Amino acid sequence: MPKRKVEDELEQLSALRLAAPGEVVIAALRKALRDRVNVIVAKAASIAAELNLCALIPDMLTAFDRLFLDPAKNDPQCWGKNALSKALTVLGHSEAATFMRGLQHVQMEPVWKGQEDTAAVLRGACALALIQCTDIPVNEMHTQLIDVLADRAQTVRLDAARALAELGTPEAILLLRLKARLGDADPSVTGEILSFLLRLEEDHAVPFAGSFLDHVEGEVREEAALALGGSRLPASIVYLRERWASSPGLAQILIRAFGASRLDAAVLFLVEIVRTARTRDALAALEALKPHRESSKLWQKIASAAGGRRESEIAAYFTQHFPKPEN
């Protein structure tokens, strides 16, 4: 039996993107969805989603179920299930059982010196898909997402938090607050959760996020500052300015937070730091102001602030990094 040329078959499937959607395309994709090679199935699912072929949803569900049988053999790296879960989401599939199965799936595969779970992407995708399902009570969604909020994989925990944020219920907000307080092995997860809360609760979440500036871990403090700065809430800038006055030990972190904001109040406060703060902080503020150096009006303000300093380091940094804009 001649050896299959899977790469050629994948190219042939890709060519279907350029064909007019019709029975010929549907038949070809339906056949590919039944294929025993998981990357063929994955390609077919992706193309079906791109072409918005809802008629193939039953075939995709059948393929999805099949790939859970002896999954490490039939779907190594979960490529097929990953593509199918994402395609079903795009096509608006709203039956929770499909995604709950993926949400609970762990697939251990051999690696050098042991095994690793290859289903993290699948669990995260199914967490995000679950919130569009119409046949599951909201409280059950909360329950399912709580479990993956404690998943062993950082990406899954983050997707679970993102799903709760998209759900946006009062209960989901409380769960996000609880997760933030409990902490995470990866500080970036806490930072993202604080960003979600600032988006959902706006000014009401500012003191809560601000309290993490006093966390024992420096990385968590920085994540909180960046979440506040990146929120673009005027109340966040007011809060950060108050902390600047009361918490000199946080100066470098707060400067990065002001730099993460695009609000005029934050940018102008960085200029004031250049004008009045200690040398180290003034240099950090100049670094944070570099994205704004093309603005002639702002360049004049920065030039005035830096020009009023006596330190040669500040003059040298400004000369090197802030050439005068042409306009």
Side-chain angles (χ1 to χ4, degrees):
M1 183 174 180
K3 185 177 180 180
R4 291 182 65 177
K5 296 182 179 179
V6 173
E7 291 184 1
D8 291 344
E9 293 181 43
L10 291 172
E11 289 183 10
Q12 291 169 13
L13 283 173
S14 294
L16 295 176
R17 292 188 174 100
L18 304 177
E23 289 304 316
V24 173
V25 171
I26 290 175
L29 292 174
R30 182 170 284 133
K31 178 182 177 182
L33 287 168
R34 295 196 296 265
D35 202 282
R36 61 182 176 81
V37 178
N38 67 336
V39 292
I40 297 287
V41 175
K43 177 67 76 172
S46 298
I47 294 171
E50 289 177 31
L51 299 179
N52 197 33
L53 296 176
C54 294
L56 287 172
I57 287 178
D59 303 272
M60 296 166 69
L61 292 172
T62 299
F64 194 65
D65 287 341
R66 186 181 74 250
L67 293 180
F68 281 98
L69 303 175
D70 198 358
K73 177 183 177 182
N74 292 324
D75 188 26
Q77 301 298 311
C78 289
W79 285 330
K81 294 190 291 294
N82 289 343
L84 285 162
S85 64
K86 292 175 183 177
L88 288 165
T89 303
V90 170
L91 293 174
H93 182 65
S94 58
E95 295 178 2
T98 301
F99 301 116
M100 287 173 64
R101 186 174 190 181
L103 196 63
Q104 297 161 6
H105 184 63
V106 174
Q107 185 164 314
M108 304 306 296
E109 297 189 32
V111 294
W112 188 64
K113 287 190 175 181
Q115 290 185 314
E116 70 175 5
D117 174 20
T118 63
V121 172
L122 175 65
R123 294 197 298 278
C126 288
L128 291 166
L130 189 65
I131 62 174
Q132 74 182 30
C133 294
T134 56
D135 62 344
I136 177 174
V138 174
N139 285 344
E140 180 61 21
M141 286 190 193
H142 295 146
T143 300
Q144 295 294 326
L145 292 172
I146 286 173
D147 288 342
V148 283
L149 202 56
D151 196 275
R152 71 191 73 183
Q154 180 264 3
T155 56
V156 182
R157 299 194 300 275
L158 186 53
D159 281 336
R162 184 174 289 112
L164 285 168
E166 291 297 321
L167 197 56
T169 61
E171 294 85 354
I173 290 171
L174 290 175
L175 289 172
L176 289 172
R177 281 180 168 248
L178 178 61
K179 173 58 179 171
R181 283 293 182 217
L182 292 174
D184 193 274
D186 188 329
S188 68
V189 173
T190 300
E192 289 290 344
I193 290 173
L194 294 178
S195 294
F196 296 150
L197 288 168
L198 288 161
R199 174 169 59 82
L200 290 166
E201 298 186 285
E202 298 185 330
D203 292 2
H204 184 64
V206 169
F208 179 79
S211 68
F212 286 80
L213 293 174
D214 299 313
H215 199 277
V216 293
E217 295 183 26
E219 289 181 84
V220 174
R221 294 196 294 272
E222 182 153 0
E223 290 288 343
L226 292 174
L228 285 161
S231 71
R232 301 190 180 186
L233 294 170
S236 288
I237 304 307
V238 171
Y239 183 91
L240 291 169
R241 290 187 62 167
E242 291 173 352
R243 292 303 301 260
W244 175 268
S246 64
S247 307
L250 294 174
Q252 292 289 305
I253 289 175
L254 294 175
I255 288 168
R256 288 191 285 277
F258 289 122
S261 176
R262 291 296 181 264
L263 293 178
D264 289 344
V267 175
L268 292 176
F269 193 68
L270 285 171
V271 175
E272 188 60 23
I273 292 173
V274 173
R275 187 186 308 278
T276 61
R278 58 187 179 179
T279 304
R280 177 170 175 254
D281 295 338
L283 287 169
L286 281 173
E287 175 70 21
L289 284 165
K290 282 167 65 175
H292 307 279
R293 57 191 164 186
E294 299 301 322
S295 166
S296 298
K297 184 177 180 180
L298 187 57
W299 184 90
Q300 294 288 349
K301 295 180 183 294
I302 300 169
S304 174
R309 305 292 298 245
R310 297 180 180 180
E311 300 95 327
S312 59
E313 311 98 288
I314 292 177
Y317 190 94
F318 179 80
T319 299
Q320 180 179 357
H321 296 285
F322 288 82
K324 188 172 183 178
E326 295 181 2
N327 297 323

